């Protein structure tokens, strides 16, 4: 398929960087405009509106991804989401850690990448620490922990996907899409917000099809990828410090595109503002959250985009478990922090937790 487009001087890998940059650019613009964030949909003050945006994107991502599967453009049979030995302990622990981390940093890693492009230096430092810890967990000193937790598995057989359950892929896809759309249309969002959310959702199958079908090359194969931030953050970090020997890939293009897109949107539509830490305690909380997300994202097999927005549309049980555990970790951590905030405040000065980023 790749060869039919007449690329003579460009490899599939090089083309994937351009594809990812375009997808990232669009995501960065739209995510900045919609304040797209899974954490906000769970514990934000505007969680209903934020949840509507996220679920609209998910519904469109499912329709597009399963449509591409039905058209036989792509298949997830050999994808890591569909391994029969489900690393249940790693996914559960990783999801809880990631959820806790994104509450401590007031944003999931995709949201913080967007905020980095909008002048938020707190978010930029979190993204850097996240990338370092994720790489440590993938290939560094924390890799033994990843291997140990990943060795605890449950054999799923054919039931690695909801498609294997009675009714098949379209019944389960339709059920999830219907629930997501009902919530989205009742969330109070404007039509413009929901349209932008739908376009974000379209980016997921666009990336799957782009890397798994359009750029498929028997002689120079590349991984089939979609929106994700854990592995791309690690990849971008490694490429940044060793680009003379390590070529850029899809993840590098994606993160670069998101940053530029968010920067352009914040400059054109307003919202760019330099921000930094206000106290050492705040710095410590953000650094702890970044580290937890770095470890958790690798163990869970993805972040709120990699396992959630991109993973759930594959109907993978592993991806669904990961996003559920991320949600649980976030809700529990938010509840604990809220209790501490009220307990530490004097009766006459009690204040609710700080608003979201």
């Amino acid at each position: 398929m790749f060869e039919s487009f007449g690329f003579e001087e460009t490899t599939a890998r090089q083309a994937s960087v351009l594809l990812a940059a375009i997808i990232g650019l669009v995501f960065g613009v739209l995510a900045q405009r919609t304040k797209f964030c899974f954490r906000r949909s769970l514990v934000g003050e505007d969680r209903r509106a934020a949840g509507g945006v996220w679920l609209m994107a998910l519904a469109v991502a499912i329709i597009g991804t399963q449509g591409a599967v039905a058209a036989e453009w792509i298949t997830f049979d050999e994808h890591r989401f569909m391994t029969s030995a489900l690393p249940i302990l790693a996914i559960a622990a990783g999801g809880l850690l990631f959820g806790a981390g994104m509450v401590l940093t007031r944003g999931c890693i995709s949201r913080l990448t967007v905020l980095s492009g909008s002048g938020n230096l707190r978010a930029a430092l979190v993204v850097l620490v996240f990338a370092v810890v994720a790489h440590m967990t993938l290939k560094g000193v924390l890799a033994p922990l990843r291997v140990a937790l990943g060795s605890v598995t449950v054999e799923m057989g054919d039931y690695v996907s909801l498609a294997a359950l009675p009714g098949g892929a379209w019944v389960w896809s339709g059920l999830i899409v219907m629930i997501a759309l009902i919530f989205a249309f009742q969330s109070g969002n404007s039509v413009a917000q929901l349209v932008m959310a739908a376009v974000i959702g379209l980016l997921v199958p666009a990336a799957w099809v782009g890397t798994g079908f359009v750029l498929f090359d028997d002689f120079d194969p590349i991984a089939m990828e979609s929106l994700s931030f854990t592995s791309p953050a690690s990849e971008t970090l490694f490429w940044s410090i060793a680009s003379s020997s390590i070529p850029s890939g899809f993840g590098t293009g994606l993160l670069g595109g998101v940053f530029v897109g968010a920067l352009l949107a914040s400059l054109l539509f307003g919202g760019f503002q330099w921000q930094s830490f206000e106290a050492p305690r705040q710095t410590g909380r953000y650094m702890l959250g970044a580290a937890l997300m770095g470890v958790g994202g690798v163990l869970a097999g993805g972040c709120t985009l990699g396992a959630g927005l991109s993973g759930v549309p594959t109907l993978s049980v592993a991806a669904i478990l990961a996003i559920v555990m991320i949600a649980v970790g976030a809700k529990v951590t938010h509840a604990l922090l809220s209790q501490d905030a009220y307990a530490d405040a004097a009766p006459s000065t009690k204040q609710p937790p700080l608003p979201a980023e």
Side-chain angles (χ1 to χ4, degrees):
M1 182 67 179
F2 173 69
E3 297 171 348
S4 67
F5 283 89
F7 291 102
E8 297 180 356
E9 302 297 330
T10 305
T11 66
R13 183 182 181 90
Q14 292 169 337
S16 75
V17 178
L18 178 59
L19 170 67
I22 295 172
I23 290 175
L25 183 70
V26 176
F27 178 85
V29 171
L30 296 177
Q32 198 276 338
R33 299 298 296 147
T34 61
K35 297 182 180 180
F36 188 83
C37 181
F38 186 68
R39 186 202 69 89
R40 286 178 58 243
S41 70
L42 294 174
V43 299
E45 292 186 344
D46 57 345
R47 63 178 64 94
R48 185 178 182 84
V53 169
W54 204 89
L55 288 173
M56 172 59 78
L58 178 65
V60 174
I62 292 174
I63 294 171
T65 301
Q66 288 303 311
V69 172
E72 299 184 350
W73 292 343
I74 56 174
T75 178
F76 294 99
D77 291 345
E78 303 298 324
H79 196 273
R80 62 180 178 83
F81 280 144
M82 300 301 177
T83 178
S84 61
L86 180 70
I88 188 169
L89 183 57
I91 292 176
L96 292 173
L97 290 175
F98 191 96
M102 73 179 188
V103 169
L104 291 174
T105 59
R106 299 187 182 279
C108 55
I109 193 62
S110 60
R111 176 62 179 161
L112 292 168
T113 304
V114 171
L115 287 173
S116 298
S118 303
N120 191 316
L121 300 179
R122 295 193 302 268
L125 184 57
V126 167
V127 172
L128 177 60
V129 174
F130 169 84
V132 171
V133 176
H135 197 72
M136 290 167 59
T137 310
L138 281 168
K139 301 178 180 180
V141 295
L142 296 178
L145 172 65
R146 172 180 58 79
V147 173
L149 293 178
S151 65
V152 181
T153 61
V154 173
E155 185 59 43
M156 298 294 291
D158 294 332
Y159 295 99
V160 295
S161 168
L162 296 184
L165 298 177
W170 281 111
V171 168
W172 291 98
S173 296
L175 179 61
I176 299 173
V177 167
M178 181 179 66
I179 294 173
L181 289 178
I182 289 175
F183 189 95
F185 286 124
Q186 294 181 347
S187 63
N189 282 293
S190 66
V191 173
Q193 287 287 98
L194 293 180
V195 169
M196 287 190 286
V199 176
I200 289 177
L202 282 175
L203 296 177
V204 171
W208 285 131
V209 173
T211 56
F213 179 65
V214 176
L215 298 181
F216 179 77
D217 187 352
D218 286 320
F219 300 101
D220 185 21
I222 60 172
M224 185 170 70
E225 301 180 69
S226 189
L227 295 181
S228 178
F229 281 80
T230 303
S231 179
S234 173
E235 177 185 333
T236 302
L237 172 68
F238 201 38
W239 174 79
S240 299
I241 60 180
S243 59
S244 61
S245 58
I246 303 296
S248 58
F250 182 88
T252 306
L254 181 67
L255 257 66
V258 171
F259 181 84
V260 173
L263 174 61
L264 291 175
S266 63
L267 291 174
L268 291 173
F269 302 106
F272 185 91
Q273 181 181 3
W274 292 113
Q275 299 179 55
S276 188
F277 294 103
E278 300 171 356
R281 182 176 180 180
Q282 183 189 48
T283 306
R285 188 185 80 237
Y286 273 67
M287 295 305 96
L288 174 60
L292 292 177
M293 283 197 293
V295 176
V298 173
L299 294 179
C303 60
T304 54
L305 261 69
L309 189 64
S310 297
V312 172
T314 70
L315 302 184
S316 162
V317 171
I320 294 172
L321 175 61
I323 196 64
V324 168
M325 295 309 297
I326 288 173
V328 171
K331 296 289 282 187
V332 170
T333 303
H334 178 73
L336 293 175
L337 291 177
S338 297
Q339 287 181 353
D340 289 342
Y342 283 108
D344 291 342
S348 60
T349 61
K350 286 184 179 180
Q351 297 292 330
L354 294 172
E357 292 280 9

